[in-house]
Amino acid sequence: MTRWPNRRILDLLGIELPILQAPMAGASGSQMAIAVSNAGALGALPCAMLSPEQAAGELHGIRQQTSRPINVNFFCHQPPLVDAAAMRRWQELLRPYYEELQLEPPPAGGPTRGAFNEAFCDMLEACKPEVVSFHFGLPEESLLARVKATGARILSTATSVAEALWLESHGCDAVIAQGIEAGGHRGMFLSGDVATQAGTLSLVPQIVDAIQLPVIAAGGIGDARGIAACLALGAAAVQLGTAYLLCPEATISPLHRQALKKSTDQTVITNIFSGRPARGIRNRIVAEIGPMSPLAPDFPLASLAIAPLRKRSEAIGSLDFMQLWAGQAAGLCRELPADQLTHSLAAEALAMI
C-alpha cells in the first residue's frame, strides 16, 4: 500500500488517495464522480441544483459504475425572504442588458438552489452514500442526526478558525478549510464579511492547530506542488475543484473552457450571479455592476434575474453575462480525463513528499 504520511482521511473515508473532487453544481456530475472515485480518490455529486428524486436517480446510476465511496453534497443556506422592492431594484439595474439582448425581464419566482431538507434526508436514508458534505454550515440538529444515523461521514466547509471550531462541536467528522483562493461560493456561515477570509496557506495550519478533527485543504491548489505544500502544513487531504474543470467529464460549456485557458489571472469574488460571494473569471457584467453589488438580492434570489442574460449570452457565443466560476489556480489546469489527472497529481505529490 502506498505510504502517505497522514492517513487520517484515507482511513476515515475509505479511499486510497488524499484527494477529494470538489462538488461543483452545474460544472460536474455523475461521470466526474465515478471517474475520480474509481481512481481511488473521493468523487462528489453536487445536489444543490437537483431535486431529491433527481439526486436519487444520479446516485443509482453512480452505483452501477462504482462501488467506491462517494460524497453527496448539499447547501445549508437559510431560504431567503423575498423582498419585492429589492427584486424590482435589481431588475431595474439589469434593464439595459435585457434591452440590449432583446429580452423581457423574468417573472418573479422560478427555480433556485435548494437547501437541505427532510426530502433530501429521506433520500439519503434510502441511498446511504458513504460521505455527506455540506456548504454554508450544517443542517439543523434533527436532520443532521438522521444523516449520521445512516453511517455517513460528515464533512463541511470552514473559512475561519471560528467556523472550524463550530463544525467540530456540532458533529462533523472532518473539516474542509477553504481559503479565499477557491473558485465558486465561499462556505462562510458565521460571518458574511468576505474581506476577512484568509488564504489557504494561512488558514490551514491555524485550523489544524485549533481542532482535533482531520483537515482537508481547499482553495488555489492546482498541481502536485500545492498538494504537497498543504500536506506539509498539516492537512490530511486536499479538495480540488478548478483543477478538474478542463477534464472531459466536466459539464461546463465550451465558452467556459475557453475562458479558463485565456483568463487565468482574472478571477474576482462577486455576488452578482447568486447573491453570495463566489469567485469566477471577470467579464463584462462583473466589471460594470460589480464585483460586489449592494443591490444583489439575498442568495439565491439574485440568480433569477441574471439567468435569462446568462442563457442568451451563452447562446450567442458571448462571455459577457455568464458566470464563469474558477479559482486562482486556473492557469494550472490540465486537459486530462479525470481518472488520469487524479493518478498523476497523486503520484507527483507523493514523489515530492
Side-chain angles (χ1 to χ4, degrees), residues 57-202:
E58 292 293 314
L59 277 171
H60 177 74
I62 288 170
R63 284 296 178 228
Q64 305 309 303
Q65 298 183 63
T66 186
S67 59
R68 302 288 185 90
I70 288 288
N71 170 23
V72 183
N73 176 261
F74 302 92
F75 285 178
C76 284
H77 59 284
Q78 290 296 317
L81 296 175
V82 178
D83 182 333
M87 296 293 283
R88 285 194 298 271
R89 288 192 295 270
W90 183 233
Q91 283 199 351
E92 194 59 33
L93 179 67
L94 300 175
R95 182 173 297 280
Y97 301 126
Y98 296 135
E99 294 174 351
E100 176 184 336
L101 296 178
Q102 300 180 322
L103 293 170
E104 290 294 324
T112 62
R113 293 169 179 83
F116 189 74
N117 56 26
E118 288 207 12
F120 279 120
C121 203
D122 292 341
M123 182 274 292
L124 291 177
E125 288 172 332
C127 296
K128 291 184 169 55
E130 294 82 2
V131 182
V132 177
S133 64
F134 298 100
H135 213 48
F136 315 136
L138 290 169
E140 59 94 4
E141 188 175 338
S142 65
L143 290 180
L144 183 62
R146 288 174 59 189
V147 177
K148 289 179 76 71
T150 69
R153 299 299 188 181
I154 307 297
L155 314 179
S156 191
T157 303
T159 64
S160 66
V161 170
E163 289 179 345
L165 289 166
W166 189 94
L167 293 174
E168 181 177 48
S169 68
H170 285 76
C172 271
D173 294 301
V175 169
I176 301 162
Q178 184 196 48
I180 198 167
E181 303 95 326
H185 286 98
R186 317 294 87 198
M188 307 178 85
F189 61 94
L190 293 183
S191 167
D193 185 3
V194 72
T196 66
Q197 190 181 4
T200 304
L201 292 182
S202 300

